[in-house]
């Protein structure tokens, strides 16, 4: 957990449950809350010319766009759940009060943001490749690393082929064909339609 749950509750946080594909906030909305994922997966996306572009995926223990609590900016993305998700919410004012009272939390958030920025550079490099396989491998490697999975262990990819297409910017048909080829060359494994990397 980025911030201890008990500390968040002490400053007025509450728990909220979401079903898959539920909207948490929309692009252009005012930032009034701090969001921390207790369990589940959340995607940050934009819709460009009626096509979804997934900008990032946030997992259990992480916060969703927490840096915006330090600004007067509006959300530049939509946040939508991928799985059943439980989120701890606290008002922006109470969040800032907590930060002022606990300087060590501010340092932890700085470190978290620095790591996210670094990972986003890796992410951008992998999805800008012209090779469909390199794009898919880069994204799978990125999420496997976020889960701290050992190199040799198999990672259950929590995304559908459609979601991988949206994340990589590839067409669905290209993802299906490339994933099949990657299975044949033993880069990944498919069991019961689920991808293991």
């Amino acid at each position: 957990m980025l911030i201890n749950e008990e500390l968040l509750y002490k400053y007025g946080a509450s728990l909220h449950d979401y079903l898959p594909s539920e909207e948490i906030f929309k692009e252009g909305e005012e930032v009034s809350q701090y969001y921390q994922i207790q369990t589940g997966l959340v995607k940050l996306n934009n819709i460009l010319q009626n096509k979804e572009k997934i900008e990032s995926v946030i997992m259990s223990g992480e916060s969703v766009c927490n840096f915006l609590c330090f600004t007067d900016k509006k959300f530049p993305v939509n946040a939508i759940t991928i799985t059943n998700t439980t989120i701890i919410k606290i008002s922006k004012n109470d969040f800032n009060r907590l930060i002022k009272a606990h300087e060590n939390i501010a340092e932890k958030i700085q470190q978290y943001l620095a790591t996210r920025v670094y990972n986003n550079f890796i992410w951008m490099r992998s999805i800008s490749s012209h090779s469909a396989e390199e794009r898919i491998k880069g994204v799978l490697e990125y999420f496997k690393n976020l889960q701290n999975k050992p190199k040799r262990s198999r990672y259950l990819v929590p995304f559908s082929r459609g979601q991988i297409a949206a994340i990589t910017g590839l067409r669905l048909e290209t993802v299906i064909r490339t994933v099949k080829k990657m299975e044949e060359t033993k880069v990944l494994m498919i069991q019961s339609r689920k991808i293991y990397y």
Side-chain angles (χ1 to χ4, degrees), residues 159-168 170-172 175-176 179-180 188-195:
F159 310 116
S160 69
R161 285 151 184 79
Q163 289 166 332
I164 292 171
I167 291 168
T168 57
L170 296 167
R171 295 178 61 222
L172 177 58
V175 170
I176 291 168
V179 163
K180 189 70 185 154
L188 53 76
M189 189 170 66
I190 300 173
Q191 283 184 338
S192 305
R193 296 190 44 78
K194 297 205 178 296
I195 299 171

Side-chain angles (χ1 to χ4, degrees), residues 53-54 122-129 135 139 167-168:
K53 170 77 169 71
I54 296 178
I122 304 299
W123 168 282
M124 294 308 290
R125 186 177 65 201
S126 68
I127 64 168
S128 63
S129 171
R135 280 197 206 186
V139 165
I167 291 168
T168 57

Side-chain angles (χ1 to χ4, degrees), residues 4 15-16 22 35 53 88 97 99 115 134 142 149 156 177 181 185:
N4 179 280
L15 214 53
H16 300 264
E22 271 197 80
Y35 304 88
K53 170 77 169 71
I88 303 167
R97 199 164 51 86
I99 295 297
T115 302
E134 287 306 311
Y142 172 83
K149 293 283 183 187
L156 171 60
R177 190 173 54 250
K181 182 179 152 201
T185 57

Side-chain angles (χ1 to χ4, degrees), residues 9-157:
Y9 295 135
K10 184 178 169 186
Y11 280 81
S14 55
L15 214 53
H16 300 264
D17 292 320
Y18 293 85
L19 296 171
S21 301
E22 271 197 80
E23 186 178 84
I24 300 164
F25 57 75
K26 280 201 303 206
E27 180 181 356
E29 282 183 1
E30 298 283 343
V31 179
S32 62
Q33 306 271 330
Y34 166 85
Y35 304 88
Q36 184 166 292
I37 303 171
Q38 185 184 64
T39 59
L41 284 172
V42 173
K43 64 182 175 181
L44 303 181
N45 76 0
N46 293 110
I47 305 299
L48 306 168
Q49 299 171 343
N50 293 327
K51 188 177 175 189
E52 180 185 38
K53 170 77 169 71
I54 296 178
E55 305 294 348
S56 188
V57 175
I58 316 295
M59 302 181 169
S60 300
E62 296 187 286
S63 67
V64 185
C65 292
N66 64 5
F67 62 93
L68 289 170
C69 286
F70 302 108
T71 74
D72 292 325
K73 306 286 186 200
K74 295 180 178 177
F75 287 113
V77 290
N78 306 299
I80 299 166
T81 58
I82 295 174
T83 61
N84 286 325
T85 302
T86 301
I87 293 182
I88 303 167
K89 291 186 192 178
I90 183 173
S91 77
K92 182 177 173 179
N93 289 340
D94 287 338
F95 171 74
N96 284 318
R97 199 164 51 86
L98 182 157
I99 295 297
K100 283 179 184 155
H102 301 272
E103 287 181 17
N104 62 322
I105 301 290
E107 287 173 18
K108 196 172 178 184
I109 288 173
Q110 261 183 332
Q111 191 173 26
Y112 170 77
L113 289 175
T115 302
R116 283 299 296 189
V117 168
Y118 173 79
N119 285 336
N120 282 345
F121 279 119
I122 304 299
W123 168 282
M124 294 308 290
R125 186 177 65 201
S126 68
I127 64 168
S128 63
S129 171
H130 293 296
S131 159
E133 183 169 337
E134 287 306 311
R135 280 197 206 186
I136 293 169
K137 268 173 63 176
V139 165
L140 299 183
E141 195 68 42
Y142 172 83
F143 286 108
K144 185 175 182 176
N145 287 340
L146 284 180
Q147 294 295 303
N148 294 318
K149 293 283 183 187
K151 282 274 186 206
R152 292 186 172 279
S153 71
R154 288 286 182 185
Y155 162 63
L156 171 60
V157 177

